[in-house]
Amino acid sequence: MHYPLTERLKRVPLAHTPTPLEPLPSLAEHLGGPAIYIKRDDCTGLAFGGNKTRKLEFLMADALAQGADTVIAVGGVQSNHVRQTVAAAAKLGLKAEAVLCDIVEGRDGEYFASGNVLLDHLMGASVHVIEASVDATSYMEDLAETVRGRGGTPYIVPMGGSNPIGALGYVRCAEEIAAQGADIGVTHVVHASGSAGTQSGLASGLAALDSPFGLVSIGVKPSNGAIRRDVEAIVPGVLDLLGVEAEVPPEHLHVNEDYSGPGYGLPTDEMVEAVTTVARLEGLLLDPVYTGKAMAGLFDLARTGKLGAKDTIVFVHTGGAPGLFAYPSLFRGA
Ligand SMILES: *Cc1c(COP(=O)(O)O)cnc(C)c1O
């Protein structure tokens, strides 16, 4: 695989790439609309993988360049991002501070004990669960101060790894999709959007490659346009790091929030249907927080004909299956 845009940028290899692009014929037949392929970024290989591993290749290179010995990561209690950051730190011999915000209402015991948070403990992170009312940014700054106080060098990873450096990971993914999708007539790339780094990287990469593929970004929380504003803020920095001048079409900045449900990490019936259907038809595990909602969006867009028989979809599987174990009651009796 050739990476014309990102080849010369500082990166530590952490991900198994290129990830496979595979057809989902049974699902496509079930929906009766577009051809569907899946980009297996759940298989990036680092401690159950997922999309954050690509971002961390660039973020960890930055951390090492700054002489960091401790990384501080933030997310929800079931953060896939924190789990992958803790794994990257372990692999590179750095300490990890995991700041987990208790922001999803109505969760039970396994939400706090299993899935991603279990793996954070297993991989040796110092885990801090903080209440929703606590300001995570100042909490992380206090932790950084403590690290400096003991003679260490902290590196604060932004929420979701989503800044221009992290988003470079999804420029690299766009490079792979452009190459792998060249012969199958791809019309749209569909993915889940949360902290905006994945979308920013894909949008920047597709624009820099002058790719004709559409980008359908499905929001995983009702944000009133905040995710889009984050994308608009990150994209110029990504293009700057790439050293290219490209026009990102406005529809690639758009976030479809129709499938986000009542809030981040809160289940919807459509998500449960999508996760269950894909598991049974393809033996493929989506997740309850991100890819399940994005797939529910794809189901609806296919059923309403907005994505039709003439279309060929690449659904980016951004990972997250460890989160299934935090929501057992949704799937146990299905
Ligand atoms: C973080 C995450 C996303 C969203 O990516 P962003 O770059 O934060 O928008 C999607 N899927 C999974 C499984 C994730 O963990």
Side-chain angles (χ1 to χ4, degrees), residues 50-52 55 79-81 83-84 159-160 162 170 191-199 220 227 287 290-291 317-321:
N51 64 338
K52 304 313 183 303
K55 301 179 184 184
S79 172
N80 300 301
H81 165 66
R83 182 242 314 153
Q84 288 162 81
M159 178 78 82
S162 288
Y170 272 82
H191 75 102
S193 200
S195 67
T198 300
Q199 185 176 348
V220 300
I227 303 174
D287 86 286
Y290 296 95
T291 53
H317 187 163
T318 42

